Amino acid sequence: MTTTKDALTRENIVAFIGSIFDRRGGEEYLGEPVTMGEHMLQGATIAEQNGQPEEIIVGALLHDIGHFTSEFGAFTMEDTEDRHHEDAGAEVLERFFPSVITDCCRFHVAAKRYLCATRADYFGRLSDASVHSLKLQGGPMSEQEVADFSGNPNLEAIIAVRYLDEAGKRPGMETPDFWHFAPMVQRMVDRHCDGSE
């Protein structure tokens, strides 16, 4: 039997992701004052407004897509263990997107742990829900983890998306919908599938 995942192609992946935003974007986001869709759209919008490259805009737009694809379901403030939404999202994206996009998804949780270990002021940026999830995710990185993570070739982009993750939690912020960003999402897909990432 063909699953939805197996049926995804270069031609329909952007429409499929758009349908997720349309159908499920209104779901609660981890006890934050914005919905899941608002959170990701805010990050992408802030990146676009600040003239960030398309890789950062799309990385911010899709970094939390795993909350919609993980069989473990969505995080709640009652959770007592991590649900690894970052891996679930990256697994979906890696077939269609350049590694920089996939890494922004796969490592945005690790980036929070990295920044808490390496930048003294970063912890103060975290919301209550983000502090709660940090505890479940292992807390600030150890020195060895920092050294290992620092070697990621996409580190700069991952860190940029992590800051956008914290910024994208503004109640009432107006943003365009997913379809505004769809052409650049498709360009990222085409870049990967054409082998020009």
Side-chain angles (χ1 to χ4, degrees), residues 103-170:
D103 278 2
C104 285
C105 180
R106 179 173 280 122
F107 296 115
H108 74 276
V109 168
K112 176 170 64 173
R113 299 183 60 226
Y114 172 85
L115 289 169
C116 284
T118 60
R119 301 189 186 174
D121 65 331
Y122 186 77
F123 185 84
R125 294 172 176 261
L126 301 181
S127 65
D128 290 344
S130 201
V131 170
H132 175 71
S133 63
L134 175 66
K135 295 174 186 174
L136 305 182
Q137 293 155 347
M141 284 185 173
S142 67
E143 287 185 20
Q144 185 59 56
E145 287 174 319
V146 166
D148 293 343
F149 190 66
S150 296
N152 189 304
N154 293 314
L155 181 65
E156 187 175 335
I158 296 165
I159 297 302
V161 166
R162 183 67 228 183
Y163 274 103
L164 291 163
D165 188 343
E166 298 308 333
K169 301 175 181 180
R170 304 177 185 175

Side-chain angles (χ1 to χ4, degrees), residues 28-34 75-77 127-129:
E28 180 184 3
Y29 170 49
L30 321 181
E32 301 286 2
V34 292
F75 165 95
T76 72
M77 289 296 280
S127 65
D128 290 344

Side-chain angles (χ1 to χ4, degrees), residues 90-101:
E91 184 179 332
V92 171
L93 298 180
E94 64 190 355
R95 288 175 50 204
F96 303 103
F97 290 89
S99 62
V100 63
I101 304 296

Side-chain angles (χ1 to χ4, degrees), residues 21 36-46 60-61 173 175-179 181:
F21 273 80
M36 282 300 311
E38 287 170 342
H39 169 61
M40 292 188 284
L41 288 166
Q42 285 183 17
T45 299
I46 294 165
L61 181 68
M173 177 181 168
T175 69
D177 64 14
F178 172 86
W179 303 104
F181 299 103

